[in-house]
Amino acid sequence: MARRGGELEAFIAFLGGLLAAGLAALTMAGVGLAARPTPALRTAAMVTLGAIWLTVTTTVYLRLKPRIRP
């Protein structure tokens, strides 16, 4: 029986994106302790984290999504 829907793949991709964004946030927090970030730099960091999360989530999902074979 073939499984359809892709819910498991979507959940795994979401968690992968969350993990990547979390690791990037920890790295940015460590750098922020060494140098005082400006408000503009904080905004750029938030945009970067969002971009990392979206990119990793989409990439992982597309890699896990089963291919339809004729």
Side-chain angles (χ1 to χ4, degrees), residues 7-46:
E7 292 88 9
L8 180 62
E9 289 85 358
F11 182 67
I12 291 170
F14 172 78
L15 289 180
L18 202 60
L19 177 65
L23 289 173
L26 284 174
T27 303
M28 289 179 186
V31 170
L33 290 175
R36 295 285 175 216
T38 63
L41 192 58
R42 289 181 188 182
T43 302
M46 295 304 286

Side-chain angles (χ1 to χ4, degrees), residues 10-70:
F11 182 67
I12 291 170
F14 172 78
L15 289 180
L18 202 60
L19 177 65
L23 289 173
L26 284 174
T27 303
M28 289 179 186
V31 170
L33 290 175
R36 295 285 175 216
T38 63
L41 192 58
R42 289 181 188 182
T43 302
M46 295 304 286
V47 170
T48 302
L49 288 176
I52 288 170
W53 176 77
L54 183 61
T55 303
V56 171
T57 300
T58 303
T59 303
V60 170
Y61 179 71
L62 291 176
R63 299 277 302 187
L64 290 177
K65 193 170 97 173
R67 308 286 192 274
I68 298 174
R69 296 185 180 148

